[in-house]
Amino acid sequence: MNEPLPVVVLISGRGSNLHSILDAIADGELPVEIRAVISNRPDAPGLQRPALLGIRTIVIDHACYASRAAFEAVLRTTIDTFEPELLVLAGFMRILAPEFVTHYRGRILNIHPSLLPEFPGLNTHQRALDAGNRESGATVHFVTPETDGGPAILQARVPVLADDDARSLAQRVLNQEHRILPLAIRWFAEGRLRLDAEGRVILDGAPLETPRMLLPSAREPA
Ligand code: GAR
């Protein structure tokens, strides 16, 4: 059997996407080893569960550094001590400089709570509501220097309901995030997914013209 893929996960808060990865590993569905979880916020609740599981948890508080470059230098040095083959941004809320992203080219995945290219950046759910959209969703993409602009790999859609507010829509989207992030990591760990030299997503040997769309599961509410 192949060795599990070494992974480092970056978080900033609650950590529910990290939990979905931990759940998939526990269920035997994800051939990865999380070598460390790093938070830029000391109070991130998401650090608790990996710590209980004996996974290394590290805080690198961006507020303690004079510049983004100084913060990212420490972040990068710390990450590299774990020799990850994949870096997962699971609710990591700091923009990363091009030099940082380029260092890990083809080896960083991000989960974003919209159907990219719609609504990069923050407040995606309120913006989807304000735009009168009838559907929203989530995207896993390779990270490139353009914030939330890297090539999309996998998406899932949800309906926007008439009585939604940003909170209810966020929860419906989050349920889908928890499905697509572990799945995209799995594809990467199985050697099925990569970013090629032209910046295209290659899945199972062929370029993805459009992101894969995961259909709603019959077991889960929309
Ligand atoms: C998730 O909805 C994730 O998509 C979003 O933050 C939330 C983190 O939740 N990420 C971004 O907006 C990145 N720009 P979690 O801490 O429970 O995983």
Side-chain angles (χ1 to χ4, degrees), residues 124-152:
T124 56
H125 308 299
Q126 191 57 53
R127 288 157 66 204
L129 291 169
D130 292 347
N133 285 11
R134 303 286 295 276
E135 65 175 17
S136 188
T139 304
V140 181
H141 65 95
F142 278 110
V143 176
T144 61
E146 188 193 344
T147 303
D148 298 330

PDB file of all heavy atoms in Angstrom, residues 124-152:
ATOM      1  N   THR A 124     -19.374  36.364   0.942  1.00  0.00           N
ATOM      2  CA  THR A 124     -19.902  35.766  -0.289  1.00  0.00           C
ATOM      3  C   THR A 124     -21.414  35.540  -0.216  1.00  0.00           C
ATOM      4  O   THR A 124     -22.117  35.712  -1.212  1.00  0.00           O
ATOM      5  CB  THR A 124     -19.204  34.425  -0.567  1.00  0.00           C
ATOM      6  OG1 THR A 124     -19.380  33.583   0.577  1.00  0.00           O
ATOM      7  CG2 THR A 124     -17.728  34.611  -0.850  1.00  0.00           C
ATOM      8  N   HIS A 125     -21.907  35.142   0.957  1.00  0.00           N
ATOM      9  CA  HIS A 125     -23.329  34.771   1.044  1.00  0.00           C
ATOM     10  C   HIS A 125     -24.227  36.003   0.956  1.00  0.00           C
ATOM     11  O   HIS A 125     -25.233  35.985   0.246  1.00  0.00           O
ATOM     12  CB  HIS A 125     -23.579  33.978   2.327  1.00  0.00           C
ATOM     13  CG  HIS A 125     -22.638  32.837   2.459  1.00  0.00           C
ATOM     14  ND1 HIS A 125     -22.588  31.822   1.526  1.00  0.00           N
ATOM     15  CD2 HIS A 125     -21.653  32.565   3.358  1.00  0.00           C
ATOM     16  CE1 HIS A 125     -21.631  30.968   1.860  1.00  0.00           C
ATOM     17  NE2 HIS A 125     -21.053  31.400   2.962  1.00  0.00           N
ATOM     18  N   GLN A 126     -23.846  37.069   1.643  1.00  0.00           N
ATOM     19  CA  GLN A 126     -24.638  38.300   1.552  1.00  0.00           C
ATOM     20  C   GLN A 126     -24.605  38.847   0.128  1.00  0.00           C
ATOM     21  O   GLN A 126     -25.616  39.343  -0.389  1.00  0.00           O
ATOM     22  CB  GLN A 126     -24.099  39.350   2.542  1.00  0.00           C
ATOM     23  CG  GLN A 126     -25.025  40.551   2.699  1.00  0.00           C
ATOM     24  CD  GLN A 126     -26.431  40.152   3.147  1.00  0.00           C
ATOM     25  OE1 GLN A 126     -26.593  39.450   4.140  1.00  0.00           O
ATOM     26  NE2 GLN A 126     -27.445  40.575   2.396  1.00  0.00           N
ATOM     27  N   ARG A 127     -23.462  38.721  -0.503  1.00  0.00           N
ATOM     28  CA  ARG A 127     -23.347  39.215  -1.883  1.00  0.00           C
ATOM     29  C   ARG A 127     -24.206  38.378  -2.836  1.00  0.00           C
ATOM     30  O   ARG A 127     -24.822  38.917  -3.769  1.00  0.00           O
ATOM     31  CB  ARG A 127     -21.885  39.237  -2.312  1.00  0.00           C
ATOM     32  CG  ARG A 127     -21.118  40.354  -1.597  1.00  0.00           C
ATOM     33  CD  ARG A 127     -19.628  40.088  -1.553  1.00  0.00           C
ATOM     34  NE  ARG A 127     -19.003  40.108  -2.835  1.00  0.00           N
ATOM     35  CZ  ARG A 127     -17.845  39.473  -3.121  1.00  0.00           C
ATOM     36  NH1 ARG A 127     -17.241  38.767  -2.197  1.00  0.00           N
ATOM     37  NH2 ARG A 127     -17.327  39.564  -4.314  1.00  0.00           N
ATOM     38  N   ALA A 128     -24.275  37.075  -2.606  1.00  0.00           N
ATOM     39  CA  ALA A 128     -25.129  36.224  -3.446  1.00  0.00           C
ATOM     40  C   ALA A 128     -26.597  36.603  -3.245  1.00  0.00           C
ATOM     41  O   ALA A 128     -27.380  36.662  -4.208  1.00  0.00           O
ATOM     42  CB  ALA A 128     -24.902  34.754  -3.115  1.00  0.00           C
ATOM     43  N   LEU A 129     -26.962  36.877  -1.981  1.00  0.00           N
ATOM     44  CA  LEU A 129     -28.347  37.287  -1.697  1.00  0.00           C
ATOM     45  C   LEU A 129     -28.642  38.648  -2.330  1.00  0.00           C
ATOM     46  O   LEU A 129     -29.685  38.837  -2.969  1.00  0.00           O
ATOM     47  CB  LEU A 129     -28.577  37.353  -0.182  1.00  0.00           C
ATOM     48  CG  LEU A 129     -28.574  36.015   0.558  1.00  0.00           C
ATOM     49  CD1 LEU A 129     -28.541  36.241   2.067  1.00  0.00           C
ATOM     50  CD2 LEU A 129     -29.790  35.180   0.171  1.00  0.00           C
ATOM     51  N   ASP A 130     -27.729  39.589  -2.165  1.00  0.00           N
ATOM     52  CA  ASP A 130     -27.932  40.940  -2.706  1.00  0.00           C
ATOM     53  C   ASP A 130     -28.058  40.920  -4.227  1.00  0.00           C
ATOM     54  O   ASP A 130     -28.759  41.745  -4.815  1.00  0.00           O
ATOM     55  CB  ASP A 130     -26.776  41.863  -2.301  1.00  0.00           C
ATOM     56  CG  ASP A 130     -26.759  42.145  -0.799  1.00  0.00           C
ATOM     57  OD1 ASP A 130     -27.769  41.844  -0.126  1.00  0.00           O
ATOM     58  OD2 ASP A 130     -25.728  42.649  -0.304  1.00  0.00           O
ATOM     59  N   ALA A 131     -27.357  39.963  -4.852  1.00  0.00           N
ATOM     60  CA  ALA A 131     -27.402  39.865  -6.320  1.00  0.00           C
ATOM     61  C   ALA A 131     -28.681  39.187  -6.796  1.00  0.00           C
ATOM     62  O   ALA A 131     -28.949  39.127  -7.996  1.00  0.00           O
ATOM     63  CB  ALA A 131     -26.180  39.098  -6.818  1.00  0.00           C
ATOM     64  N   GLY A 132     -29.471  38.652  -5.845  1.00  0.00           N
ATOM     65  CA  GLY A 132     -30.708  37.964  -6.224  1.00  0.00           C
ATOM     66  C   GLY A 132     -30.455  36.606  -6.859  1.00  0.00           C
ATOM     67  O   GLY A 132     -31.322  36.071  -7.570  1.00  0.00           O
ATOM     68  N   ASN A 133     -29.299  36.020  -6.584  1.00  0.00           N
ATOM     69  CA  ASN A 133     -28.995  34.712  -7.186  1.00  0.00           C
ATOM     70  C   ASN A 133     -29.950  33.635  -6.685  1.00  0.00           C
ATOM     71  O   ASN A 133     -30.344  33.633  -5.523  1.00  0.00           O
ATOM     72  CB  ASN A 133     -27.553  34.307  -6.866  1.00  0.00           C
ATOM     73  CG  ASN A 133     -26.541  35.081  -7.693  1.00  0.00           C
ATOM     74  OD1 ASN A 133     -26.898  36.052  -8.355  1.00  0.00           O
ATOM     75  ND2 ASN A 133     -25.301  34.672  -7.651  1.00  0.00           N
ATOM     76  N   ARG A 134     -30.281  32.719  -7.560  1.00  0.00           N
ATOM     77  CA  ARG A 134     -31.165  31.608  -7.195  1.00  0.00           C
ATOM     78  C   ARG A 134     -30.394  30.397  -6.696  1.00  0.00           C
ATOM     79  O   ARG A 134     -30.970  29.462  -6.166  1.00  0.00           O
ATOM     80  CB  ARG A 134     -32.012  31.204  -8.408  1.00  0.00           C
ATOM     81  CG  ARG A 134     -32.835  32.354  -8.990  1.00  0.00           C
ATOM     82  CD  ARG A 134     -34.020  32.678  -8.100  1.00  0.00           C
ATOM     83  NE  ARG A 134     -34.956  31.575  -8.058  1.00  0.00           N
ATOM     84  CZ  ARG A 134     -35.905  31.359  -8.969  1.00  0.00           C
ATOM     85  NH1 ARG A 134     -36.036  32.179  -9.989  1.00  0.00           N
ATOM     86  NH2 ARG A 134     -36.724  30.338  -8.849  1.00  0.00           N
ATOM     87  N   GLU A 135     -29.086  30.422  -6.943  1.00  0.00           N
ATOM     88  CA  GLU A 135     -28.270  29.333  -6.396  1.00  0.00           C
ATOM     89  C   GLU A 135     -26.893  29.861  -6.006  1.00  0.00           C
ATOM     90  O   GLU A 135     -26.448  30.912  -6.476  1.00  0.00           O
ATOM     91  CB  GLU A 135     -28.156  28.158  -7.372  1.00  0.00           C
ATOM     92  CG  GLU A 135     -27.442  28.461  -8.634  1.00  0.00           C
ATOM     93  CD  GLU A 135     -27.271  27.223  -9.497  1.00  0.00           C
ATOM     94  OE1 GLU A 135     -27.966  26.206  -9.283  1.00  0.00           O
ATOM     95  OE2 GLU A 135     -26.420  27.263 -10.402  1.00  0.00           O
ATOM     96  N   SER A 136     -26.282  29.122  -5.096  1.00  0.00           N
ATOM     97  CA  SER A 136     -24.922  29.433  -4.676  1.00  0.00           C
ATOM     98  C   SER A 136     -24.184  28.109  -4.540  1.00  0.00           C
ATOM     99  O   SER A 136     -24.634  27.090  -5.065  1.00  0.00           O
ATOM    100  CB  SER A 136     -24.935  30.220  -3.379  1.00  0.00           C
ATOM    101  OG  SER A 136     -23.615  30.666  -3.083  1.00  0.00           O
ATOM    102  N   GLY A 137     -23.062  28.129  -3.835  1.00  0.00           N
ATOM    103  CA  GLY A 137     -22.316  26.882  -3.714  1.00  0.00           C
ATOM    104  C   GLY A 137     -20.925  27.118  -3.196  1.00  0.00           C
ATOM    105  O   GLY A 137     -20.633  28.153  -2.597  1.00  0.00           O
ATOM    106  N   ALA A 138     -20.079  26.138  -3.421  1.00  0.00           N
ATOM    107  CA  ALA A 138     -18.717  26.177  -2.911  1.00  0.00           C
ATOM    108  C   ALA A 138     -17.772  25.625  -3.970  1.00  0.00           C
ATOM    109  O   ALA A 138     -18.191  24.877  -4.860  1.00  0.00           O
ATOM    110  CB  ALA A 138     -18.609  25.334  -1.634  1.00  0.00           C
ATOM    111  N   THR A 139     -16.511  26.019  -3.842  1.00  0.00           N
ATOM    112  CA  THR A 139     -15.493  25.661  -4.840  1.00  0.00           C
ATOM    113  C   THR A 139     -14.210  25.239  -4.145  1.00  0.00           C
ATOM    114  O   THR A 139     -13.756  25.922  -3.219  1.00  0.00           O
ATOM    115  CB  THR A 139     -15.167  26.890  -5.740  1.00  0.00           C
ATOM    116  OG1 THR A 139     -16.355  27.385  -6.336  1.00  0.00           O
ATOM    117  CG2 THR A 139     -14.149  26.529  -6.816  1.00  0.00           C
ATOM    118  N   VAL A 140     -13.611  24.153  -4.609  1.00  0.00           N
ATOM    119  CA  VAL A 140     -12.217  23.841  -4.258  1.00  0.00           C
ATOM    120  C   VAL A 140     -11.367  24.195  -5.465  1.00  0.00           C
ATOM    121  O   VAL A 140     -11.702  23.815  -6.591  1.00  0.00           O
ATOM    122  CB  VAL A 140     -12.014  22.351  -3.927  1.00  0.00           C
ATOM    123  CG1 VAL A 140     -10.552  22.094  -3.538  1.00  0.00           C
ATOM    124  CG2 VAL A 140     -12.937  21.904  -2.813  1.00  0.00           C
ATOM    125  N   HIS A 141     -10.291  24.944  -5.215  1.00  0.00           N
ATOM    126  CA  HIS A 141      -9.427  25.347  -6.334  1.00  0.00           C
ATOM    127  C   HIS A 141      -7.970  25.305  -5.935  1.00  0.00           C
ATOM    128  O   HIS A 141      -7.631  25.355  -4.746  1.00  0.00           O
ATOM    129  CB  HIS A 141      -9.812  26.756  -6.820  1.00  0.00           C
ATOM    130  CG  HIS A 141      -9.577  27.850  -5.819  1.00  0.00           C
ATOM    131  ND1 HIS A 141      -8.428  28.617  -5.805  1.00  0.00           N
ATOM    132  CD2 HIS A 141     -10.316  28.293  -4.774  1.00  0.00           C
ATOM    133  CE1 HIS A 141      -8.496  29.491  -4.807  1.00  0.00           C
ATOM    134  NE2 HIS A 141      -9.635  29.318  -4.167  1.00  0.00           N
ATOM    135  N   PHE A 142      -7.097  25.191  -6.945  1.00  0.00           N
ATOM    136  CA  PHE A 142      -5.670  25.366  -6.720  1.00  0.00           C
ATOM    137  C   PHE A 142      -5.416  26.839  -6.432  1.00  0.00           C
ATOM    138  O   PHE A 142      -6.033  27.726  -7.058  1.00  0.00           O
ATOM    139  CB  PHE A 142      -4.862  24.953  -7.955  1.00  0.00           C
ATOM    140  CG  PHE A 142      -4.626  23.475  -8.061  1.00  0.00           C
ATOM    141  CD1 PHE A 142      -5.263  22.729  -9.045  1.00  0.00           C
ATOM    142  CD2 PHE A 142      -3.762  22.831  -7.191  1.00  0.00           C
ATOM    143  CE1 PHE A 142      -5.037  21.357  -9.153  1.00  0.00           C
ATOM    144  CE2 PHE A 142      -3.531  21.457  -7.283  1.00  0.00           C
ATOM    145  CZ  PHE A 142      -4.170  20.728  -8.259  1.00  0.00           C
ATOM    146  N   VAL A 143      -4.537  27.089  -5.494  1.00  0.00           N
ATOM    147  CA  VAL A 143      -4.218  28.472  -5.136  1.00  0.00           C
ATOM    148  C   VAL A 143      -3.107  28.985  -6.059  1.00  0.00           C
ATOM    149  O   VAL A 143      -2.086  28.320  -6.245  1.00  0.00           O
ATOM    150  CB  VAL A 143      -3.778  28.555  -3.665  1.00  0.00           C
ATOM    151  CG1 VAL A 143      -3.337  29.975  -3.306  1.00  0.00           C
ATOM    152  CG2 VAL A 143      -4.932  28.122  -2.761  1.00  0.00           C
ATOM    153  N   THR A 144      -3.372  30.151  -6.632  1.00  0.00           N
ATOM    154  CA  THR A 144      -2.381  30.856  -7.459  1.00  0.00           C
ATOM    155  C   THR A 144      -2.272  32.275  -6.911  1.00  0.00           C
ATOM    156  O   THR A 144      -3.057  32.659  -6.029  1.00  0.00           O
ATOM    157  CB  THR A 144      -2.829  30.882  -8.938  1.00  0.00           C
ATOM    158  OG1 THR A 144      -4.078  31.572  -9.014  1.00  0.00           O
ATOM    159  CG2 THR A 144      -2.963  29.483  -9.522  1.00  0.00           C
ATOM    160  N   PRO A 145      -1.323  33.082  -7.417  1.00  0.00           N
ATOM    161  CA  PRO A 145      -1.157  34.415  -6.823  1.00  0.00           C
ATOM    162  C   PRO A 145      -2.414  35.285  -6.847  1.00  0.00           C
ATOM    163  O   PRO A 145      -2.573  36.168  -5.999  1.00  0.00           O
ATOM    164  CB  PRO A 145      -0.031  35.023  -7.669  1.00  0.00           C
ATOM    165  CG  PRO A 145       0.807  33.842  -8.044  1.00  0.00           C
ATOM    166  CD  PRO A 145      -0.193  32.744  -8.315  1.00  0.00           C
ATOM    167  N   GLU A 146      -3.310  35.073  -7.784  1.00  0.00           N
ATOM    168  CA  GLU A 146      -4.539  35.872  -7.818  1.00  0.00           C
ATOM    169  C   GLU A 146      -5.522  35.336  -6.765  1.00  0.00           C
ATOM    170  O   GLU A 146      -5.960  34.180  -6.846  1.00  0.00           O
ATOM    171  CB  GLU A 146      -5.167  35.767  -9.213  1.00  0.00           C
ATOM    172  CG  GLU A 146      -6.337  36.706  -9.414  1.00  0.00           C
ATOM    173  CD  GLU A 146      -7.125  36.360 -10.682  1.00  0.00           C
ATOM    174  OE1 GLU A 146      -6.598  35.619 -11.525  1.00  0.00           O
ATOM    175  OE2 GLU A 146      -8.267  36.823 -10.792  1.00  0.00           O
ATOM    176  N   THR A 147      -5.873  36.163  -5.796  1.00  0.00           N
ATOM    177  CA  THR A 147      -6.694  35.703  -4.680  1.00  0.00           C
ATOM    178  C   THR A 147      -8.020  35.111  -5.164  1.00  0.00           C
ATOM    179  O   THR A 147      -8.768  35.771  -5.885  1.00  0.00           O
ATOM    180  CB  THR A 147      -6.984  36.871  -3.712  1.00  0.00           C
ATOM    181  OG1 THR A 147      -5.728  37.403  -3.297  1.00  0.00           O
ATOM    182  CG2 THR A 147      -7.771  36.413  -2.499  1.00  0.00           C
ATOM    183  N   ASP A 148      -8.283  33.865  -4.766  1.00  0.00           N
ATOM    184  CA  ASP A 148      -9.496  33.125  -5.142  1.00  0.00           C
ATOM    185  C   ASP A 148      -9.642  32.996  -6.659  1.00  0.00           C
ATOM    186  O   ASP A 148     -10.736  32.747  -7.168  1.00  0.00           O
ATOM    187  CB  ASP A 148     -10.765  33.785  -4.551  1.00  0.00           C
ATOM    188  CG  ASP A 148     -10.749  33.787  -3.023  1.00  0.00           C
ATOM    189  OD1 ASP A 148     -10.158  32.865  -2.441  1.00  0.00           O
ATOM    190  OD2 ASP A 148     -11.312  34.719  -2.435  1.00  0.00           O
ATOM    191  N   GLY A 149      -8.529  33.178  -7.381  1.00  0.00           N
ATOM    192  CA  GLY A 149      -8.589  33.152  -8.843  1.00  0.00           C
ATOM    193  C   GLY A 149      -7.952  31.926  -9.464  1.00  0.00           C
ATOM    194  O   GLY A 149      -7.920  31.805 -10.689  1.00  0.00           O
ATOM    195  N   GLY A 150      -7.446  31.025  -8.645  1.00  0.00           N
ATOM    196  CA  GLY A 150      -6.793  29.829  -9.191  1.00  0.00           C
ATOM    197  C   GLY A 150      -7.798  28.891  -9.819  1.00  0.00           C
ATOM    198  O   GLY A 150      -9.005  28.973  -9.559  1.00  0.00           O
ATOM    199  N   PRO A 151      -7.331  27.983 -10.674  1.00  0.00           N
ATOM    200  CA  PRO A 151      -8.252  27.127 -11.420  1.00  0.00           C
ATOM    201  C   PRO A 151      -9.095  26.227 -10.522  1.00  0.00           C
ATOM    202  O   PRO A 151      -8.583  25.559  -9.628  1.00  0.00           O
ATOM    203  CB  PRO A 151      -7.333  26.311 -12.332  1.00  0.00           C
ATOM    204  CG  PRO A 151      -5.976  26.482 -11.796  1.00  0.00           C
ATOM    205  CD  PRO A 151      -5.927  27.754 -11.016  1.00  0.00           C
ATOM    206  N   ALA A 152     -10.397  26.243 -10.808  1.00  0.00           N
ATOM    207  CA  ALA A 152     -11.350  25.485  -9.992  1.00  0.00           C
ATOM    208  C   ALA A 152     -11.291  24.009 -10.348  1.00  0.00           C
ATOM    209  O   ALA A 152     -11.134  23.635 -11.511  1.00  0.00           O
ATOM    210  CB  ALA A 152     -12.755  26.029 -10.210  1.00  0.00           C
TER     211      ALA A 152
END
